[in-house]
Amino acid sequence: MQDASFTSRFRTESEEVRSLREFAKAFYLSKEWRYTRECIITRDHGLCVKCSDPGEIVHHIIPLTPENINDPEITLGEDNLELLCRKCHGLAHGLAPATAPGLMFDEDGNLVERELLS
């Protein structure tokens, strides 16, 4: 059973995420972001810069905030953007990996030992 402080912290973080999405919504729908996003995907060859899996998310290294959302060096600057896979993006945001080290889900959703790439 989780204590009240954990539940309270979780709700606060969830509310913050919803708020972040709302203040950044117009930015993420802008033609400037869509163009820059495609440029970063091309620059990084479509691969996660951390693990070389297929990249899915263009990540802001310095996170967007209401204070910096209008700063193009932060929002659109190549030095602040990197392509990450979902797993590495979660890790960049401090989320625990979905599986223990050495394990992965196969294409059928079964938990299996991770094979080493040769």
Side-chain angles (χ1 to χ4, degrees):
M1 180 176 240
Q2 297 169 347
D3 64 25
S5 65
F6 174 83
T7 304
S8 174
R9 183 174 56 85
F10 181 75
R11 285 185 189 140
T12 302
E13 289 171 354
S14 293
E15 290 166 3
E16 184 179 345
V17 168
R18 279 194 297 271
S19 169
L20 175 66
R21 290 182 187 151
E22 195 56 41
F23 90 80
K25 190 175 187 177
F27 166 73
Y28 283 118
L29 294 173
S30 72
K31 66 180 178 181
E32 294 83 5
W33 168 247
R34 286 179 285 170
Y35 175 79
T36 301
R37 181 182 180 279
E38 289 303 316
C39 288
I40 298 302
I41 292 169
T42 300
R43 180 197 71 189
D44 294 341
H45 307 288
L47 300 174
C48 175
V49 299
K50 303 289 186 192
C51 72
S52 298
D53 281 353
E56 297 181 52
I57 300 167
V58 175
H59 170 69
H60 287 90
I61 298 165
I62 298 171
L64 297 184
T65 66
E67 293 77 27
N68 68 23
I69 192 70
N70 294 312
D71 181 345
E73 289 298 314
I74 301 293
T75 58
L76 301 171
E78 286 184 34
D79 293 339
N80 191 43
L81 297 168
E82 62 187 357
L83 184 61
L84 299 177
C85 66
R86 289 196 181 278
K87 181 184 93 180
C88 291
H89 188 251
L91 292 172
H93 285 281
L95 301 176
T99 63
L103 299 175
M104 63 182 273
F105 291 103
D106 67 13
E107 61 276 355
D108 297 320
N110 300 308
L111 191 60
V112 297
E113 287 188 37
R114 183 177 301 277
E115 297 176 13
L116 296 176
L117 298 175
S118 47

